[in-house]
Amino acid sequence: VVLATFGLAISLVAGEIGLRAVYSARQSANSFDRLKAARRAGKPLPVRSTHPMAIIIQPSDDPKVVYELQPDLNREFGHRLLRTNSQGLRESREYATQRAPGSVRIVGIGDSGMFGWNLDQEQDYMTVLETNLNRRQDGILYEVLNMGVPGYNTQLEVEQLRAKGLAYKPDIVIVGWCVNDFSLPFFLLQKENYRRLDKSFLYGLLFKRTKEFTELGQGITLHDLRDYAPDSVAPEISKGADVEGVRAALAKLKRMGSEAGFKLLVF
């Protein structure tokens, strides 16, 4: 009995150590650098996640933008058609940065509402706006670009405009604001600490196959940031949340409007 008990204990410890080693290796394979390298090589992003957003977003090379929509998507997402253009905008066509004569250009920044969550392609309100404006047939070409990305807050929306939107020289910038813009951006990759002693990963694998333990084994998990501890988020991202973060982002947006000469609509 003593030998059997001792052997079982050794086996469990060895199993726990081995499982943690496997999970750590999987985490390394999911690192941001590996994801960026895979994206540049045109390979599928090897993110293990139970969250549907994992199949349509990618890490941004701009650390202030954090993540963005994958370019050139043409797939089903939530049983709806989703297309993005080469710039990662939810658009079925390309927009040249060079303005056409006699045109009015509108750029929209927002989150899932502007993106058109649970809507088919061409049903998002920015596309509807472009269609309705051009139906006027008043001799003006109206171009409306949808830069909405699910999970963005005001800070990331403004950084998206800085990084991508200003190149299109907009006449008007529309901000689709909502109350969760006070929050951290919703979706980020978060590393797991496999040296922690407060949980047994082997026990979770064998006896507690809940969503929590499924995600623990993925190494890096695409997370809903409403569940994050504030100290697990980089300071430059966490400071964009709450009232002061929104106020600072809107102040920056106002300065950008004055410098670039666009009119601003926030609703």
Side-chain angles (χ1 to χ4, degrees):
V1 171
V2 171
L3 287 175
T5 303
F6 182 74
L8 179 60
I10 292 296
S11 298
L12 291 175
V13 170
E16 182 77 27
I17 294 173
L19 185 61
R20 290 178 184 231
V22 170
Y23 284 175
S24 296
R26 191 178 290 177
Q27 178 168 271
S28 297
N30 271 352
S31 71
F32 244 47
D33 290 338
R34 287 285 298 276
L35 293 179
K36 290 180 180 179
R39 186 198 66 198
R40 295 189 190 103
K43 298 178 181 178
L45 301 185
V47 178
R48 293 177 174 86
S49 177
T50 58
H51 201 289
M53 284 287 292
I55 64 174
I56 67 169
I57 64 172
Q58 64 183 18
S60 173
D61 285 327
D62 189 322
K64 292 185 178 180
V65 176
V66 186
Y67 70 93
E68 59 197 4
L69 293 175
Q70 296 176 24
D72 300 315
L73 289 172
N74 185 3
R75 63 171 303 144
E76 186 179 85
F77 178 67
H79 304 294
R80 308 287 183 176
L81 178 62
L82 170 62
R83 292 195 185 105
T84 58
N85 65 15
S86 64
Q87 300 304 305
L89 310 184
R90 189 176 187 182
E91 299 287 356
S92 299
R93 68 181 183 90
E94 302 294 331
Y95 289 87
T97 53
Q98 185 68 31
R99 292 282 299 272
S103 64
V104 169
R105 184 166 279 180
I106 302 170
V107 167
I109 54 175
D111 60 3
S112 55
M114 179 174 285
F115 163 84
W117 191 272
N118 204 32
L119 293 178
D120 268 315
Q121 193 75 7
E122 316 295 344
Q123 290 185 349
D124 61 280
Y125 63 77
M126 297 300 286
T127 301
V128 172
L129 175 61
E130 182 180 83
T131 300
N132 289 345
L133 289 173
N134 283 308
R135 280 177 179 166
R136 294 177 174 183
Q137 297 183 338
D138 56 6
I140 298 174
L141 172 64
Y142 295 94
E143 294 183 312
V144 182
L145 287 71
N146 184 354
M147 292 192 170
V149 178
Y152 270 17
N153 62 6
T154 308
Q155 180 189 41
L156 265 64
E157 291 161 9
V158 174
E159 296 300 338
Q160 169 89 318
L161 178 66
R162 172 193 58 79
K164 289 186 178 180
L166 293 182
Y168 293 96
K169 302 177 178 60
D171 300 295
I172 302 169
V173 170
I174 297 177
V175 183
W177 196 90
C178 64
V179 69
N180 60 27
D181 281 16
F182 285 120
S183 306
L184 292 166
F186 278 2
F187 305 106
L188 282 182
L189 296 172
Q190 182 183 38
K191 290 185 176 181
E192 177 56 54
N193 177 15
Y194 291 119
R195 295 184 177 183
R196 61 194 297 181
L197 300 177
D198 61 328
K199 287 186 178 180
S200 167
F201 295 94
L202 183 62
Y203 177 83
L205 177 67
L206 296 176
F207 305 112
K208 195 176 181 182
R209 296 194 178 188
T210 61
K211 180 181 178 182
E212 176 189 4
F213 273 92
T214 299
E215 292 185 343
L216 283 176
Q218 291 162 0
I220 297 182
T221 304
L222 189 66
H223 241 301
D224 182 329
L225 279 184
R226 287 170 291 189
D227 299 329
Y228 268 41
D231 58 1
S232 69
V233 181
E236 60 269 24
I237 301 302
S238 61
K239 71 180 182 181
D242 299 323
V243 175
E244 290 305 317
V246 172
R247 182 177 287 121
L250 290 176
K252 182 174 182 177
L253 184 59
K254 182 180 179 181
R255 292 194 301 271
M256 290 168 61
S258 299
E259 294 168 1
F262 59 77
K263 295 182 180 180
L264 185 63
L265 170 63
V266 181
F267 74 94

